[in-house]
Amino acid sequence: MTAAAEPSGLYRTVALIRGFEQRAVELVRDGVIRGGIHPCTGQEAVAAGTCAALRPDDVITSTHRGHGHVLAKGADPARMMAELAGRSTGLNQGRGGSMHAADFAAGVLGADAIVGAAVPIAAGAAWAMRQAGADRVALAYFGDGAVSQGVVLESFNLAALWRVPVVLVCENNGFATSMRPADTMAGTVVGRAAAFGIPAAVVDGMDPQAVLDATTGAVERARSGGGPTLLECVTYRFDAHHTWEHTARPRYRTDEEVAAGTARDPLEIQGARIPAATRATIDAETAELLDEAVRFALAGPHPDPATALDHLYATGLRPRAGAL
Amino acid sequence: MPRLSYLKALNRAIGDEMERDPAVCVLGEDIGVAVTYATAGLLRRFGRDRVLDTPISEQAFTSFATGAAMAGMRPLIEFQIPALLFLAFEQIANQAHKFSLMTGGQTRVPVTYLLPGSGSRDSWAGQHSDHPYSLFAHVGVKTVVPATATDAYGLLVTAIRDDDPVVVFAPSGALGVREDVDLAGLAPVPLGSARIHRAGTDVTVVAVGHLVHDALAVADELAGTVSVEVFDPRSLHPFDWAGLAASLERTGRLVVVDDSNRSCGIGAEIVATAAEEMRLVAPPRRVTRPDGAVLPFARELDLACQPTRSQLRAAVEKSVGAG
């Protein structure tokens, strides 16, 4: 068992994501992070539990609400925060931002800003790794809002048809922006998987250990040639769809409902499973790590506008400028 | 006179048309809570049968609207993000747009696609910052880019009443624009009819969408040295070519400022048509995004890819110097 899969390791990852998002929201309010973020607060157990079942050479694709996935897979929180702040020292050199964080060295193929768009990308990467003779797997995250996108269902078909080593993780956080699954989804998430012959399970997405246990089985199946598995991790989005809501305050859920939804907190669930002293030590270490991450982000240089289209082409082809 | 914001004008146009014509209905994501504001209050006024909050299924609900239109409805679809047009491009360009011709005129597809917040917002990065109006003009879908609140109202009303598919781009750079208007005087604005915001005699600046306001600012800066005519095409397809020709008869010089990627952007078509058919005494110029630009996230990089006032001013001065 890796350190991340120990009870204290799962807690450490949950605490890291929780603290990271708190600081990121503050930096949005301060104007340091432009464009806002989609906080994953409340959903940390999904990221922590799934990534603890993966090897460093396995890969993931993520979503617009992807900070937790990227951190849990092993990206450096300091470079992640610098990316959110648009600095040259960020994971993507300030080119991607919150919705596109990628760290190929850590197996993060990237977050994606189009709902459902990364699911076939994960399937294709999984297929290629198997073709190369490796026993690596890919894991795709997507939300409850994505399961009615055609491309996601088409990906289920391809993955099952070709027994691709991919794990399909649906984070059902109760809301697609303002819309509830009951208002957008005929049938069920696991029923969609069943239609393609994909084994599927509903998992307690507030419990890191439950997510780890379910993902471990899915990863083993994928690695051993058994093809895809779908896990519907039922969780709850504690914060806004996007930090824009902190000022605009659209009304699609009541305060009472939020209070009920946040009653089960992955931080407390996993925190209760480790000695108090261990928890206190992890909390202190995490706070120090994240304070340093913020310092690193703020100290990073802003990118030079003359480099705006660097990397546009892998071959180095240079486009003409906009004004002649 | 009351102040009308561009966003309120869009909202008012949809509401007025829904009142006027029971066939008008609205589909889109989160339109019940109106995250873009364009659909604010419509669910309460018109109910769930006419204001349909959709699942995140853009390809399906876009052609769903096509089918509804072919069966007598007049749907308006709101897309929250301009890049969703890439997702639904097949449904618009290859389906809705082609049915009138392919059926020998048996059907019509009166669907309006509204983009409240096209182009770059503040650091929304590569997948949320495109401005693909030229793409739709290229394939021949009617394409509208209003610059002011009055025109946003008038052009959206016209788009809804039009019997063909029409894409209405509401640039994020224009959404905050407000003006004093006589609400009773709001009226449809025909497609293919340009608006001259400022008359001039030295240079015609064709400005698209929010860039009209930048062009007016540059015209102000240059007043006294260069007389700039600010020409707002309002619709890119159809385009008011006769209006542009008349303007160039007066000025003989052309600068286009266009938030498209340079290669194959609408600015290229405007410059080419002017060069072929109109009076020019100096080489025409374009101020655009770079070729094939993908907007980077960091604010400095994002801004570096968009047309600027200083670039426009330099292009106008070069045009006059060359003449």
Side-chain angles (χ1 to χ4, degrees), chain B residues 256-303:
Chain B
V256 182
V257 58
D258 164 24
D259 194 30
S260 296
N261 292 346
R262 186 178 190 81
S263 180
C264 300
I266 194 71
E269 180 59 30
I270 295 168
V271 163
T273 303
E276 284 176 338
E277 302 174 9
M278 300 176 194
R279 173 178 172 263
L280 286 174
V281 300
R285 294 181 180 280
R286 279 175 287 163
V287 179
T288 64
R289 292 187 183 190
D291 278 355
V294 175
L295 259 58
F297 164 69
R299 187 64 175 154
E300 305 79 6
L301 308 182
D302 175 314
L303 289 172

Side-chain angles (χ1 to χ4, degrees), chain A residues 34 113 148-149 178 302 322, chain B residues 30 57-58 122 127 262 288 300:
Chain A
R34 312 282 300 224
S148 297
Q149 279 288 35
S178 72
H302 291 273
Chain B
D30 308 295
S57 307
E58 289 87 6
D122 184 348
Q127 290 180 334
R262 186 178 190 81
T288 64
E300 305 79 6

Side-chain angles (χ1 to χ4, degrees), chain B residues 97-206:
Chain B
H97 172 54
K98 292 185 174 174
F99 286 154
S100 180
L101 182 141
M102 292 195 307
T103 63
Q106 294 179 74
T107 192
R108 58 192 61 186
V109 185
V111 181
T112 303
Y113 313 97
L114 175 63
L115 281 296
S118 57
S120 173
R121 304 191 206 191
D122 184 348
S123 295
W124 281 28
Q127 290 180 334
H128 278 16
S129 302
D130 291 298
H131 221 162
Y133 47 73
S134 299
L135 198 55
F136 288 88
H138 176 73
V139 295
V141 177
K142 293 177 178 176
T143 305
V144 173
V145 194
T148 69
T150 306
D151 284 344
Y153 180 92
L155 288 163
L156 183 53
V157 165
T158 298
I160 293 169
R161 295 182 191 177
D162 198 281
D163 280 341
D164 290 313
V166 183
V167 188
V168 179
F169 288 87
S172 55
L175 293 182
V177 169
R178 290 177 162 72
E179 60 189 294
D180 293 320
V181 294
D182 172 11
L183 294 176
L186 289 171
V189 171
L191 305 188
S193 160
R195 173 174 173 183
I196 292 176
H197 288 266
R198 178 187 178 114
T201 53
D202 293 330
V203 183
T204 298
V205 171
V206 175

